Every structure is written in C-alpha cells, then in structure tokens.
C-alpha cells in the first residue's frame, strides 16, 4: 500500500464571513459572524475507488466538493491531488484536465444556447487535446456513444433532451478531457428514480472501464450504498463516521449515522415503529459546544456537551463519538 | 353509500398554440373516509395535476375538459370560484411541497391560522386564537403560545411545514390533499413530519391524498396507492400488493429501480428511456415503447384498468378475452 492516493485532504476547512455590513454591525454592537461550513475534514481516496460523503443539507458536503476541485480556496488545511499540492496542480493545464466535476442540476449546468457538440467539445478545445474539427467531432461522437446517446444527438440543443439524457451529456462533457478523478455533487438528485438507476449504472460501468476515481456527494444513503467503497458521514462541517461501505451499512456506530438510517422510510413494510431523531440540524454559525450532535443525541452526557470528540479508529470504522469510545453506545 | 371523494374519468387539457395537450386522461379513483391514498409517479406523470384539479387550483390555461369530481356525492368540479373557495379549507385542506409558498410572509402565523379558523368555523377571534395555539401545540411547535406571533421566516423549514399542516387541518376538513409534503425536507425531519401527518389523520379521521415520488413514504403511510404514468392511472390497489407484487410492468419496473438500502446490487434494474412528453404520447398504451413485455395489441389499443389479482392494472396482460 505505497501507491499515492488520487486525492488526500488534511484538516480541510472553509469559513464564510456572514457578518452584516460594517455600519449596521457597529450600530447593533455585534461582532463578525463566521459560518464554519467545513471545519477540519481529512480523508484520502485511493485510485480507482469511490468515496462518498453523505449528510443532510448544511453539513458541508457540497463545500468539500468545491474545495477539492479548487472552486473554493481553503481557509485551513490542504488538498493533495495525486501527491502534489492542489494549487500547484491547478496552475498546470495538464494536471487540471485530470479532474472534472458533475453537478446536480442538468438544467442549469448546460448552456442552453450551445449545441451538445460544442458543450462536449469545450474541454477538448480548452485543453487543446484534439486538433482539427473533424477529429474533434469524431471524439465527441465517441463520447456520446460511451454515455448511451447517439452521435447524431450532437447537433441538438439541451432543451431537446430529458433530465436523464442531459445528465448523460454532463457526464460526456466531464469525460472529454480524459480525467482520472471525477467529483459528482448529487448527480442523480434531480432525476426520477427509474432514470437515476440508469445514470448510476452508467457511472459504475464507466468507472470499471476507465478506472476512474470518484468523490461522490449525496444525501441519499441508498444511492451511496450502491456506488461507494468508503463512506464518510458528515454533520455540521465535520466527518462523524468513516468506514468501508459494507461496514458502515451493516454496523453503523455513530448515533447520528444510526439515526439517519432509522429515519429512511423503506419498502419492507414490516410495520416497525420508527423512532425519528428529534430536533433539527443546528446553525453552523453558532454550533453547539462539545459534540455538535449532542442536543439531538440519546447518548449525550456531560463530556459530550463540553469536549469535542475526534475521529478515532475502531477496527475498520473511524468514529468521532465519546459514547462509542467509552463503550456506552 | 357515497365515497368521500370520487374522481370519474377526469380529463385535463392545456390548450396551446400548437394544439391541445392532454395532461390527464380518464383518471378515476375514489377515497373513502379516513383512508390514505398514495399517488406516485415520476415527474410529468400528472400526480400533482390531479391534486390541483381536485382542490380547484389548476394553473391556467389548464382546464377540466371532461369527467366529474364528487365530494360526498356532490359535484365540485364545476362550482363558481367563490363557492369552491369555501369548500377549500373547510372541506378539503391542502399541503404543498414548499411551505414558503403556502404561508404569507407578511402576516404572522397566528393571524393566518385565526383567519382560516374564523372563516370556516363559528368561533370569535379570541376563541380562534386559543384554537390556533392548540393546533400549534398539536403539530409540535415548542412554546406555541410565545411563537404564535412570529412570522414564517422566523421558523426553520421543518417547523414551517408543521405550521402548514396546522393551517391545513385547523378548519377540520374531511380530506387533505398533500402534494410532496416532505420532499423539501431533510430525511430526519421528513420522518418527523410523516409521523405527525399519520398520527393526526388517524386521530381526526381525516382522509388524505398523498402525492409523492417517494415510494418509501407511500409504503409507510398509505392504505392504497395509485401509480400514474403519462397522465393516466397505470395501477391502483392496496399498498402492500402494489409494493410487493406490482402487476403493471411499469409499477414493477419502478419498484425494481429503487436502490435498496439493505444490500448492494451490481446493476440496478433501470427502465430504459424516459416518460414521453405530453405532446408525443404514443398510441395504444403510453408505456409500450419502454415495456419489456410489450405485445402487438399494446401498440394499437389503449388498455383500461382491468382486475389483476388484488389490484387493478391498465395492462393488456390482464385481459381475458
């Protein structure tokens, strides 16, 4: 196990200044306010594997996605892409073309005035990968076929396609620069369930065929289970549990992970009485002391209220929880 | 004995410059008192449109072009606007996906609740305010007496949806039309809101039409379920039957494509293609281009709902002639 991971983050953090304008702040006699969207996240993704980050809205998972492709700069910590510093890598087009991103909304992420051919060819042209119009058209046709569309679809506009087909176009565009690493931010959340299955199958097939590495962001645990090798569960800007997918789903340890799984309505119709977790996700501007989950946690005690737990490994699982560590869970 | 709600051969059309689009065609079902009917389908199947037609809030230029909607045996699809407005709220409550569009941002939630209660029930404003506080407590708003004079933006998304539920139920309607009531909420909040809706519907004996794309929500909440496809009911029956032993190839395909939480599968069962646009609904059965069991007849003739085991399915596989 000496191979360099595709992506590695150490103590990654991103804060946003959400203060009111200075004059208003002065009048109201209040200080600056900082939203700690991501606060100390470390993980690494070995080549050819999929790491998923799951969590509810506001947990910071999409901010992590934007940090690792350089759309946001980090407030603290660092990101290493294939062993080198992300900022250095981003300055080099040859390195930059190795990473791509797929967004949630296939309606907003494709330019409605461009033909599909031009949308998919843009990264090819930007990185100067294929010279000559004919060769570019050929490459686009190959990409369209690869994602299950027809080469003839290149002359159409995005509005002529359904949501699932548009997401295929987004994937073809992402693949056009021959990337090794893809960041997928909720790629199927805007799609209907039967179409979602098509896209998930396509992503898995492309991964095994092209040896891609994925960072997969989702709020849907069932989807995450289908695609991941490892899963990190986020709550209020931090990873509270990280484990191989099978381990996480068969023996979740952190009380928040267990609550999330408990909350999902299932098709088993066993008539079980679910015990929904109470309360709501607190504000990341003013997070609770100690463990951020303690106000909703059935196992919380004084230590949880005072001291913030760090991620600690137990067998295959890393958990940030005093109760699990002390064997109270 | 009349059903609480009966929808008969409902047809909704949208006249456009390029011809008339048929958004709902020949939709029929009934809801009995106290029953929860789930309506599922993918986007564009017409499930929200059905709800909107029932509460008389179709977006123009959409209009009911055929069929009838009966509430306790009385037609409500052809009532003048003012009369329908009195029925809405008093007899049929509505809950929508986004609580911010239901609540008026300029009025306190107390004022909105009191207005609804005094409009529909014989109570004076002071009594109505007390009733409003009771409802807020019932839907789980902490410190209801203090928060009744707060504005919608002062509540979180989950709390706002609780206020909307109070607003829909406070005039004690017999039927609630809930259109994706938990879709905008996080999963842990969704579980709380569903548990609340279920409990209140049972305690108050309110019937509910629950429109959602989330089969898990339906499986846990509904008594019966109607699966819609391209503006028609593809299958309708007891929820357990439809979830476990769906008869229509579309319903079984839909169930199979839901990623399971309890295991990993190598390849999910996807349905090829996507739902047709309203302007290009295929001849015969609308599902025929995607159906793995398609027969010659499916391309020619449109099937009506036929008995299929314990459910009814609009599929020629169940024709015995």
């Amino acid at each position: 196990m000496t191979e360099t991971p595709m992506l590695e983050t150490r103590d990654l953090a991103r804060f946003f200044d959400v203060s009111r304008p200075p004059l208003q702040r002065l009048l109201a006699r209040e200080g600056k306010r900082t939203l700690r969207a991501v606060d100390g996240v470390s993980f690494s993704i070995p080549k050819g594997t999929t790491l998923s980050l799951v969590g509810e809205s506001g947990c910071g998972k999409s901010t992590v996605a934007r940090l690792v492709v350089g759309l946001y700069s980090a407030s603290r910590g660092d990101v290493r892409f294939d062993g080198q510093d992300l900022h250095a890598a981003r300055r080099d087009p040859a390195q930059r073309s190795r990473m791509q991103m797929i967004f949630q909304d296939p309606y907003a992420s494709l330019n409605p005035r461009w033909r599909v051919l031009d949308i998919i060819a843009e990264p090819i042209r930007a990185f100067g990968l294929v010279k000559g119009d004919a060769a570019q058209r050929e490459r686009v046709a190959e990409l369209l076929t690869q994602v299950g569309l027809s080469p003839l679809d290149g002359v159409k506009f995005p509005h002529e396609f359904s949501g699932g087909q548009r997401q295929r176009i987004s994937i073809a565009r992402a693949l056009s620069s021959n990337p090794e690493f893809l960041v997928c931010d909720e790629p199927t959340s805007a799609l209907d369930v039967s179409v979602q299955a098509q896209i998930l199958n396509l992503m898995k097939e492309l991964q095994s065929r092209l040896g891609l590495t994925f960072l997969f962001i989702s709020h849907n645990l069932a989807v995450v289970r289908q695609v991941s090798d490892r899963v990190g569960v986020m709550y209020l800007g931090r990873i509270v549990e990280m484990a191989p997918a099978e381990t996480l789903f068969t023996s979740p340890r952190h009380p928040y992970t267990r609550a999330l799984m408990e909350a999902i309505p299932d098709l088993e119709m066993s008539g079980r009485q679910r015990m929904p977790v109470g309360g709501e996700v607190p504000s990341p501007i003013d997070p609770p002391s100690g463990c951020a989950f303690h106000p909703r946690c059935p196992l919380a005690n004084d230590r949880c209220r005072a001291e913030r737990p760090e991620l600690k490994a137990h067998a295959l699982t890393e958990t940030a929880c005093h109760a699990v560590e002390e064997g109270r869970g | 004995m009349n059903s609480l709600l009966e929808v008969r051969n409902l047809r909704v059309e949208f006249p456009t410059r390029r011809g008339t689009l048929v958004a709902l065609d020949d939709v029929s079902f009934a809801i009995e008192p106290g029953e929860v009917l789930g309506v599922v389908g993918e986007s564009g199947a017409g499930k929200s449109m059905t709800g909107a037609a029932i509460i008389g809030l179709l977006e123009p230029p959409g209009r009911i072009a055929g069929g009838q909607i009966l509430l306790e045996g009385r037609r409500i699809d052809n009532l003048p606007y003012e009369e329908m407005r009195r029925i809405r709220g008093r007899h049929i409550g509505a809950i929508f996906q986004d609580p911010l569009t239901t609540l008026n941002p300029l009025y306190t939630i107390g004022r909105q609740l009191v207005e609804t209660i005094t409009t529909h029930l014989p109570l004076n404003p002071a009594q109505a305010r007390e009733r409003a506080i009771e409802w807020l407590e019932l839907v789980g708003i902490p410190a209801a007496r203090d928060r009744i004079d707060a504005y919608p933006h002062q509540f979180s998304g989950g709390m706002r949806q609780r206020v909307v539920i109070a607003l829909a139920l406070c005039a004690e309607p017999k039927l609630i039309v809930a259109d994706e009531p938990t879709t905008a909420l996080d999963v842990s909040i969704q579980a709380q809101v569903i548990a609340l809706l279920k409990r209140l519907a049972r305690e108050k004996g309110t019937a509910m039409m629950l429109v959602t794309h989330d089969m898990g929500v339906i499986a846990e909440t509904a008594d019966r379920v109607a699966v819609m496809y391209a503006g028609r009911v593809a299958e309708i029956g007891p929820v357990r039957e439809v979830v476990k032993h769906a008869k229509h190839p579309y319903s079984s395909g839909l169930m199979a494509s839901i990623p399971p939480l309890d295991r990993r599968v190598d390849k999910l069962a996807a349905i090829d293609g996507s739902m047709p646009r309203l302007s290009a609904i295929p001849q015969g059965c609308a599902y025929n281009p995607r159906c793995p069991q398609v027969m010659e007849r499916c391309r020619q003739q449109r099937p009506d709902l036929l008995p299929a085991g314990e459910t009814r399915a609009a599929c020629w596989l169940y024709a015995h002639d």
Side-chain angles (χ1 to χ4, degrees):
Chain A
M1 271 298 289
T2 49
E3 200 191 8
T4 321
M6 192 81 242
L7 190 91
E8 197 172 11
T9 75
R10 253 183 318 210
D11 193 32
L12 188 62
R14 170 71 204 202
F15 307 145
F16 294 96
D17 187 347
V18 290
S19 313
R20 291 204 278 170
L23 190 61
Q24 281 186 29
R25 216 160 61 218
L26 198 70
L27 292 173
R29 289 170 201 282
E30 58 174 43
K32 285 206 163 201
R33 280 146 50 97
T34 307
L35 186 153
R36 304 166 87 87
V38 175
D39 192 4
V41 164
S42 305
F43 57 81
S44 76
I45 315 177
K47 285 177 182 155
T49 68
T50 301
L51 172 78
S52 293
L53 295 178
V54 281
E56 298 181 281
S57 36
C59 73
K61 54 191 192 300
S62 289
T63 307
V64 171
R66 284 159 182 264
L67 282 166
V68 302
V69 293
L71 287 175
Y72 287 150
S73 57
S75 306
R76 193 183 71 219
D78 60 7
V79 181
R80 299 192 81 75
F81 177 67
D82 200 8
Q84 44 180 328
D85 181 68
L86 181 71
H87 290 283
R90 295 280 312 166
R91 276 194 293 273
D92 177 1
Q95 293 297 323
R96 206 164 64 227
S97 70
R98 296 172 63 199
M99 63 176 98
Q100 287 290 352
M101 188 158 179
I102 298 169
F103 296 92
Q104 172 173 356
D105 185 351
Y107 293 82
S109 59
L110 302 177
N111 188 333
R113 292 167 188 272
W114 283 21
R115 291 185 194 274
V116 167
L117 179 84
D118 295 316
I119 291 174
I120 296 175
E122 192 189 16
I124 301 176
R125 290 175 189 152
F127 292 117
L129 296 174
V130 178
K131 304 282 181 227
D133 273 1
Q136 276 178 15
R137 266 200 301 278
E138 201 172 304
R139 172 71 179 135
V140 169
E142 186 189 328
L143 286 161
L144 281 169
T145 315
Q146 202 164 41
V147 298
L149 294 172
S150 154
L152 300 174
D153 287 332
V155 296
K156 295 186 187 165
F157 287 97
H159 74 260
E160 298 175 67
F161 295 90
S162 67
Q165 289 170 321
R166 285 182 214 212
Q167 204 59 306
R168 289 174 191 270
I169 296 170
S170 305
I171 294 173
R173 172 178 61 184
L175 293 176
S176 66
S177 70
N178 300 315
E180 294 153 55
F181 176 54
L182 281 180
V183 176
C184 313
D185 189 2
E186 303 264 15
T188 62
S189 305
L191 304 178
D192 278 318
V193 57
S194 71
V195 178
Q196 163 175 286
Q198 297 170 12
I199 298 296
L200 293 175
N201 286 340
L202 173 67
M203 291 177 57
K204 283 165 83 166
E205 183 205 317
L206 290 171
Q207 176 166 43
S208 64
R209 187 136 51 92
L210 305 173
L212 300 169
T213 308
F214 283 131
L215 173 62
F216 192 91
I217 310 290
S218 180
H219 70 280
N220 186 329
L221 282 166
V223 166
V224 161
R225 175 151 207 185
Q226 305 310 316
V227 299
S228 315
D229 295 297
R230 274 177 85 74
V231 180
V233 180
M234 289 188 68
Y235 190 73
L236 230 57
R238 312 187 114 236
I239 291 178
V240 296
E241 179 159 6
M242 170 90 95
E246 269 319 290
T247 314
L248 187 95
F249 283 96
T250 49
S251 46
R253 300 189 61 118
H254 195 285
Y256 177 63
T257 314
R258 296 201 298 231
L260 263 187
M261 291 192 191
E262 185 72 9
I264 297 170
D266 63 34
L267 296 172
E268 285 313 304
M269 319 235 301
S270 50
R272 80 191 157 106
Q273 276 300 308
R274 292 194 286 123
M275 287 283 295
V277 57
E280 302 186 7
V281 181
S283 159
I285 297 173
D286 188 19
S289 63
C291 171
F293 188 58
H294 85 252
R296 306 173 75 187
C297 182
L299 305 173
N301 66 8
D302 285 343
R303 187 179 174 204
C304 305
R305 282 182 273 275
E307 185 190 330
R308 190 158 73 182
E310 299 298 327
L311 268 182
K312 292 210 176 86
H314 301 254
L316 292 168
T317 307
E318 289 173 84
T319 324
C321 177
H322 296 311
V324 169
E325 188 191 336
E326 294 164 11
R328 286 188 281 129
Chain B
M1 174 64 193
N2 285 321
S3 299
L4 175 62
L5 181 87
E6 209 183 331
V7 176
R8 288 186 193 154
N9 312 106
L10 182 66
R11 179 181 174 95
V12 169
E13 293 180 349
F14 280 75
T16 69
R17 269 177 301 170
R18 278 183 233 133
T20 300
L21 299 180
V22 181
L24 291 181
D25 195 7
D26 207 12
V27 170
S28 300
F29 60 85
I31 301 180
E32 305 305 322
E35 183 187 46
V36 179
L37 175 76
V39 179
V40 283
E42 301 181 280
S43 23
K47 52 193 194 306
S48 294
M49 190 83 66
T50 309
I54 290 168
I55 55 179
L57 288 178
L58 277 178
E59 292 263 347
R63 59 185 184 91
I64 295 177
Q68 300 184 342
I69 302 171
L70 296 99
L71 185 71
E72 297 182 301
R74 175 182 172 219
R75 271 189 81 168
I76 58 166
D77 56 282
N78 53 359
L79 295 179
Y81 183 82
E82 272 308 306
E83 219 169 310
M84 191 60 209
R85 205 170 68 94
R86 278 196 293 278
I87 288 186
R88 204 159 51 225
R90 180 67 190 95
H91 297 288
I92 307 179
I95 300 171
F96 299 103
Q97 174 169 349
D98 180 1
L100 274 182
T101 57
T102 309
L103 297 169
N104 187 328
L106 300 178
Y107 295 150
T108 65
I109 58 159
R111 177 166 169 184
Q112 298 181 51
L113 281 163
V114 166
E115 187 186 307
T116 307
I117 294 169
T118 52
T119 306
H120 296 297
L121 299 178
L123 295 175
N124 65 38
Q127 292 168 323
R129 190 176 160 88
E130 280 310 304
R131 178 68 64 89
I133 292 170
E134 284 168 30
W135 270 107
L136 290 177
E137 283 167 354
L138 213 53
V139 296
I141 303 279
R145 196 167 289 276
D146 301 324
R147 303 213 65 189
I148 186 166
D149 294 315
Y151 289 88
H153 74 266
Q154 294 170 297
F155 292 86
S156 67
M159 286 295 154
R160 262 185 229 133
Q161 199 60 308
R162 288 170 192 266
V163 173
V164 170
I165 291 172
L167 202 57
L169 286 164
C170 66
E172 298 169 6
K174 300 184 194 81
L175 175 69
I176 298 274
V177 175
D179 187 356
E180 304 273 8
T182 59
T183 305
L185 306 176
D186 274 320
V187 56
S188 69
I189 311 299
Q190 164 178 304
Q192 297 168 9
V193 169
I194 289 172
L196 172 72
L197 263 179
K198 244 163 92 172
R199 180 170 60 82
L200 289 178
R202 199 173 48 235
E203 282 172 7
K204 306 279 171 191
T206 315
M208 183 156 55
M209 175 174 156
L210 178 63
V211 175
T212 176
H213 69 281
D214 188 334
M215 216 42 227
V217 170
I218 296 273
E220 294 213 341
T221 316
D223 301 308
R224 284 190 308 134
V225 57
V227 181
M228 292 193 69
Y229 188 80
R232 294 171 55 93
V233 176
E235 180 164 5
I236 184 165
V239 67
R240 173 169 289 275
E241 279 303 301
V242 176
V243 171
K244 297 276 187 191
H245 314 285
K247 296 294 190 296
H248 196 289
Y250 173 65
S251 347
S252 52
L254 188 65
M255 299 301 153
S257 63
I258 299 170
L261 182 64
D262 59 356
R263 64 186 188 279
R264 180 176 173 137
V265 290
D266 283 336
K267 196 166 193 293
L268 291 162
I271 308 178
D272 286 340
S274 52
M275 186 145 40
R277 295 175 184 212
L278 290 181
S279 53
I281 292 181
Q283 198 193 350
C285 171
Y287 188 58
N288 85 63
R290 304 174 76 187
C291 184
Q293 288 161 275
V294 63
M295 303 176 289
E296 196 43 48
R297 189 175 188 182
C298 309
R299 299 199 180 91
Q300 312 298 333
Q301 266 178 294
R302 203 170 66 177
D304 286 318
L305 282 173
L306 302 164
E310 286 177 52
T311 78
R312 286 187 302 141
C315 178
W316 289 124
L317 289 174
Y318 303 98
H320 303 287
D321 52 3

